[in-house]
Amino acid sequence: MLQEIKEMGSHALDIYDYLVAGIDPRLLSYPLMQSPIPMTLILLCYLFFVLYLGPRIMANRKPFQLKEAMIVYNFLLVGLSIYIVYEFMMSGWATTYTWRCDAIDTSNSPQALRMVQVAWLFWFSKIIELIDTIFFVLRKKHGQITFLHIFHHSFMPWTWWWGVGYAPGGMGSFHAMVNSSVHVIMYFYYGLAAAGPRFQKFLWWKKYMTAIQLTQFVLVSLHATQYYFMDSCDYQFPVILHLIWMYGTFFFVLFSNFWIQAYVKGKRLPKQSAKPCQNGTAVYTNGKHHEHGNGISHGATNGTSNGSAHHENGSAHMGKMKKA
C-alpha cells in the first residue's frame, strides 16, 4: 500500500513537472510565473478570508465606509484597463492580426514580447481585482458575495495563469482584450457610484451594465466558434479556445439568469417604498437605506417606540376623561 502511494505521488510530480515545463520561457522572468503554487496559495487565502475569516472578524464590528479608497481603487483600474486594451491593440489586434486564425508569435521580436507583457498584465489585473470582494466583506455587503462573484474572481485567475503561461497571444487573447474593454466601463461606473449620492443622476445606465456583459460573452463565444468552421488553423493550443468557448457560454447563462431575476422579475432590485412609521418617517427611502444597510433598525425602532408611547399616552388620557 505504501509503495502504491509513493508511485502515485511520483506520478503526480511527473505530471506537475511536465505541465510547468510547458510554460513559455519568455514569461519565467515575470512575477508569480515560475510555478502555479504561489498563485494557488493567493487564491486559497482569498477564499478563506472572504468565506470564513473576514465575516468572523466583521461579525461584531461596524462596517467600514472606505469611500475614498474605493474611488481611488476603481479609477486606477479604469486607467489600467485602458492601458491593457491599448497594448493588446498595438501588440497585434490593430496591427498584424486578422481577427480570425491568429497564431501565437513565439519569437523575441519587440511586438511579440509586447504581447507577452500585456498578457501577463491582464492576468495580474485579475489578482488585483480580488480586492473587490475584500471591500464587500469590510463593508458587510454580504448580499454581493454571490456564487457568480466568487467563481468569477477565483477560478478565472487560476485558469488564466495557465492560459497566459502556455499561450500569451494569438486568437486566444481576444477575450482578454474584450474583457478589459468592458472593465473600463464597469469600474468607471463603480467609481462614480462610490463617489456618493450627488453622482446618482449619472448612473441611469446601471441596468445596461449587465447587457454589456452579455454582449461580451456573445462576442467571445462567436470568435472562438469560428475555429470549428475553419478548414485549417495553425493556432498552437486549441484547448484554450475550447475553454474560452465554454466560459463564454457558461457566463452568458449565469448573467442571463441575473438579468431575468433583476430586471424582468425584479427580485434583486431594492424596494422603492414602504409604509411610514407612526412618526411619519419611512423606513425605506427609494431603497437607499436597504441598499446601504444604514438606519433601518434605528428607523423601525424609533418609529415603533414613538408610536407606542403616543398610543399609551392617549389611552391614559382617555381613562382619566372617563373617570371624570
Side-chain angles (χ1 to χ4, degrees):
M1 182 66 179
L2 183 61
Q3 183 63 29
E4 291 179 357
I5 294 175
K6 288 182 178 180
E7 290 178 358
M8 290 175 61
S10 177
H11 185 60
L13 287 174
D14 290 340
I15 295 175
Y16 172 80
D17 291 338
Y18 174 78
L19 291 174
V20 173
I23 300 298
D24 193 312
R26 297 174 297 177
L27 280 158
L28 295 178
S29 61
Y30 285 85
L32 301 174
M33 292 304 300
Q34 294 75 29
S35 166
I37 294 176
M39 169 270 301
T40 303
L41 290 176
I42 290 173
L43 295 175
L44 289 175
C45 289
Y46 160 79
L47 291 173
F48 177 72
F49 178 82
V50 301
L51 295 176
Y52 178 76
L53 182 61
R56 282 182 68 91
I57 292 174
M58 295 301 299
N60 299 316
R61 289 178 170 83
K62 293 182 179 180
F64 292 96
Q65 296 302 316
L66 303 175
K67 177 180 177 180
E68 291 78 12
M70 289 174 61
I71 293 173
V72 172
Y73 166 77
N74 285 305
F75 283 110
L76 281 177
L77 278 177
V78 170
L80 178 61
S81 299
I82 291 173
Y83 177 75
I84 290 173
V85 173
Y86 175 78
E87 286 297 298
F88 269 124
M89 297 293 286
M90 294 298 102
S91 299
W93 289 102
T95 53
T96 58
Y97 281 16
T98 65
W99 294 62
R100 287 182 55 77
C101 178
D102 295 300
I104 302 164
D105 186 350
T106 57
S107 71
N108 287 317
S109 68
Q111 188 171 23
L113 294 177
R114 191 174 184 178
M115 177 62 80
V116 169
Q117 183 183 56
V118 70
W120 175 85
L121 186 59
F122 172 78
W123 170 79
F124 189 72
S125 71
K126 300 306 168 192
I127 299 298
I128 297 174
E129 288 169 12
L130 299 179
I131 298 174
D132 290 357
T133 325
I134 295 174
F135 278 144
F136 286 149
V137 173
L138 296 180
R139 296 171 65 228
K140 301 183 80 168
K141 300 290 185 180
H142 303 303
Q144 303 284 357
I145 307 175
T146 61
F147 165 77
L148 176 59
H149 179 89
I150 293 293
F151 180 83
H152 180 73
H153 277 67
S154 57
F155 197 64
M156 287 293 288
W158 193 87
T159 54
W160 235 97
W161 186 93
W162 296 98
V164 169
Y166 276 88
M171 63 185 300
S173 64
F174 174 78
H175 80 288
M177 181 180 64
V178 173
N179 182 251
S180 296
S181 301
V182 170
H183 279 201
V184 173
I185 304 171
M186 186 177 76
Y187 283 105
F188 180 72
Y189 169 84
Y190 291 156
L192 287 180
R198 58 181 175 174
F199 290 94
Q200 294 295 321
K201 61 183 178 181
F202 300 113
L203 302 179
W204 53 267
W205 44 281
K206 175 183 179 180
K207 71 176 183 178
Y208 297 108
M209 286 298 304
T210 306
I212 293 171
Q213 294 272 27
L214 290 171
T215 303
Q216 167 192 199
F217 301 131
V218 171
L219 291 175
V220 166
S221 295
L222 287 176
H223 181 264
T225 299
Q226 65 178 332
Y227 174 81
Y228 303 110
F229 297 94
M230 295 177 183
D231 294 331
S232 63
C233 180
D234 56 353
Y235 181 73
Q236 295 93 323
F237 297 98
V239 66
I240 299 293
L241 299 179
H242 304 331
L243 288 173
I244 290 171
W245 187 89
M246 287 191 292
Y247 275 146
T249 305
F250 179 66
F251 279 113
F252 180 82
V253 172
L254 288 180
F255 275 80
S256 295
N257 178 66
F258 175 84
W259 174 275
I260 293 170
Q261 297 298 323
Y263 299 112
V264 177
K265 296 182 178 180
K267 291 183 178 180
R268 295 175 182 262
L269 297 178
K271 296 178 180 179
Q272 296 300 314
S273 61
K275 293 181 180 179
C277 301
Q278 294 293 333
N279 62 358
T281 303
V283 177
Y284 297 98
T285 304
N286 295 330
K288 290 182 181 178
H289 288 189
H290 181 270
E291 180 182 354
H292 297 291
N294 297 329
I296 297 176
S297 59
H298 297 295
T301 304
N302 291 343
T304 304
S305 60
N306 290 346
S308 300
H310 178 73
H311 177 71
E312 290 173 3
N313 291 340
S315 299
H317 181 67
M318 288 300 292
K320 292 180 181 179
M321 289 293 290
K322 285 182 180 179
K323 288 181 180 180

